[in-house]
């Protein structure tokens, strides 16, 4: 894969590679690959809730923690993602303390909605619980002297500071200039983040069509128009638009619409 990438792109384009891993399996060769080939490494670990299991149902968190220590000793920079779920929402103080003590930045990622009601069982977490959890996490971060980043709170705070900056640093989310996130289903159907897996919202199938054909498709154009309409309806009346690119609205899947009186507010405000 590395040789293929270098052959295709050569020196004409700057290419950066990022990887998200559960870090269960680690060898010296893999550590060398992470250190010298990837520009960013993310480790998925939840600390509480026993979400990370193998096919036999055995929790593998101890192996992940040991491999995180190996990466640290090898000088590999990495951050972490914690999936916020019903099983660990009340453990945020311990989770934050762990990362602060390790001097590791991390992102809290609310559990993605399942395909059907009840799919996640005890791990399911609603919009109101997610809101309270992130508010509590913000309080923990503000009260701590650690210099780690805590996402998504860090990004929202940067937008506020950019809004108050004395110089104009406006930037806007524009999918016509290029896609930043592409969701590919197991059958090859391709979507934007906001439209992921929705019937009739696919751009086409990346297994059978070239990417250039997908981004020229009617499905892709309709997806962009929906993004632009969401941003026009919400962002243009927001004082932070420009400081905030509009991305949260552009890729809003309305997972938290119950927190809004009309379901149309910005998810950051919700």
């Amino acid at each position: 894969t590395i040789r293929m990438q270098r052959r295709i792109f050569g020196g004409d384009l700057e290419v950066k590679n990022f990887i998200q891993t559960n870090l269960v399996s680690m060898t010296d060769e893999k550590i060398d690959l992470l250190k010298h080939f990837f520009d960013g490494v993310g480790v998925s670990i939840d600390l509480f809730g026993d979400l990370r299991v193998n096919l036999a149902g055995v929790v593998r968190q101890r192996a992940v923690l040991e491999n995180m220590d190996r990466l640290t000793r090898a000088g590999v920079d990495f951050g972490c993602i914690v999936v916020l779920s019903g099983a660990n929402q009340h453990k945020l103080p311990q989770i934050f303390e762990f990362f602060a003590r390790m001097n590791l930045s991390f992102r809290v990622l609310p559990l993605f909605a399942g395909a059907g009601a009840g799919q996640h069982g005890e791990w399911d977490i609603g919009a109101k619980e997610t809101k309270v959890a992130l508010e509590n996490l913000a309080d923990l971060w503000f009260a701590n002297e650690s210099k780690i980043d805590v996402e998504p709170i860090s990004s929202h705070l940067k937008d506020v500071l950019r809004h108050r900056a004395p110089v104009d640093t406006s930037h806007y989310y524009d999918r016509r200039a290029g896609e930043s996130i592409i969701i590919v289903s197991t059958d090859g159907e391709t979507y934007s983040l906001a439209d992921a897996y929705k019937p009739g919202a696919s751009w086409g199938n990346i297994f059978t069509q070239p990417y250039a054909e997908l981004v020229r498709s009617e499905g892709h154009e309709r997806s962009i128009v929906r993004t632009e309409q969401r941003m026009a309806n919400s962002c243009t009346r927001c004082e932070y638009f420009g400081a905030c690119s509009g991305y949260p609205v552009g890729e809003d899947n309305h997972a938290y619409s119950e927190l809004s009186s009309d379901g149309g507010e910005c998810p950051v405000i919700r």
Side-chain angles (χ1 to χ4, degrees):
T1 301
I2 297 174
R3 287 194 296 269
M4 183 181 296
Q5 176 178 292
R6 289 171 176 167
R7 184 176 70 251
I8 293 173
F9 294 109
D12 296 332
L13 292 173
E14 180 184 10
V15 178
K16 292 187 176 182
N17 297 286
F18 299 85
I19 187 171
Q20 188 67 31
T21 172
N22 58 24
L23 211 65
V24 169
S25 172
M26 188 54 52
T27 64
D28 291 341
E29 290 77 12
K30 290 179 180 178
I31 290 175
D32 186 70
L33 181 67
L34 293 175
K35 185 173 184 177
H36 296 106
F37 180 68
F38 288 98
D39 300 278
V41 177
V43 176
S44 299
I45 183 168
D46 304 315
L47 296 175
F48 300 93
D50 294 342
L51 281 174
R52 312 290 173 176
V53 298
N54 61 15
L55 291 176
V58 177
V59 178
R60 298 304 309 275
Q61 182 158 279
R62 180 177 293 276
V64 177
L65 292 170
E66 291 173 351
N67 287 329
M68 286 169 61
D69 286 339
R70 292 183 65 185
L71 291 187
T72 299
R73 291 195 298 269
V76 179
D77 289 329
F78 65 95
C80 293
I81 285 184
V82 174
V83 174
L84 178 65
S85 71
N88 67 5
Q89 60 176 313
H90 302 299
K91 298 289 187 179
L92 277 179
Q94 295 94 317
I95 291 172
F96 176 82
E97 180 61 29
F98 171 84
F99 288 111
R101 193 169 62 249
M102 294 284 291
N103 196 34
L104 277 174
S105 296
F106 69 104
R107 172 181 291 276
V108 171
L109 184 66
L111 185 64
F112 200 75
Q119 177 182 343
H120 296 315
E122 64 182 290
W123 294 291
D124 205 10
I125 184 168
K128 293 180 181 178
E129 291 82 3
T130 298
K131 176 177 178 290
V132 170
L134 292 177
E135 288 172 346
N136 292 338
L137 181 60
D139 289 340
L140 290 167
W141 186 43
F142 294 155
N144 192 278
E145 295 183 356
S146 171
K147 292 181 172 56
I148 64 173
D149 270 337
V150 179
E151 292 288 356
I153 301 167
S154 296
S155 291
H156 299 330
L157 182 59
K158 289 173 184 174
D159 288 342
V160 172
L161 295 176
R162 190 180 295 114
H163 174 66
R164 298 184 178 183
V167 295
D168 184 11
T169 57
S170 298
H171 65 303
Y172 301 95
Y173 183 52
D174 180 9
R175 286 180 57 196
R176 295 188 185 278
E179 295 287 358
S180 59
I181 295 181
I182 300 167
I183 304 294
V184 179
S185 186
T186 53
D187 60 359
E189 293 298 309
T190 306
Y191 307 85
S192 71
L193 178 61
D195 294 331
Y197 316 121
K198 293 178 181 176
S202 172
W203 312 347
N205 195 297
I206 202 168
F207 292 168
T208 59
Q209 299 169 263
Y211 179 72
E213 183 176 321
L214 295 181
V215 296
R216 291 195 301 266
S217 70
E218 292 183 3
H220 183 253
E221 175 63 21
R222 289 194 296 269
S223 175
I224 290 180
V225 169
R226 286 192 292 271
T227 294
E228 293 172 342
Q229 288 174 340
R230 284 192 295 271
M231 293 175 64
N233 291 338
S234 181
C235 298
T236 52
R237 64 175 187 262
C238 177
E239 65 175 304
Y240 292 98
F241 191 39
C244 168
S245 69
Y247 173 86
V249 168
E251 295 300 341
D252 182 20
N253 61 6
H254 292 283
Y256 306 115
S257 57
E258 66 189 74
L259 298 179
S260 169
S261 57
D262 62 2
E265 291 180 0
C266 170
V268 177
I269 295 175
R270 294 200 296 260

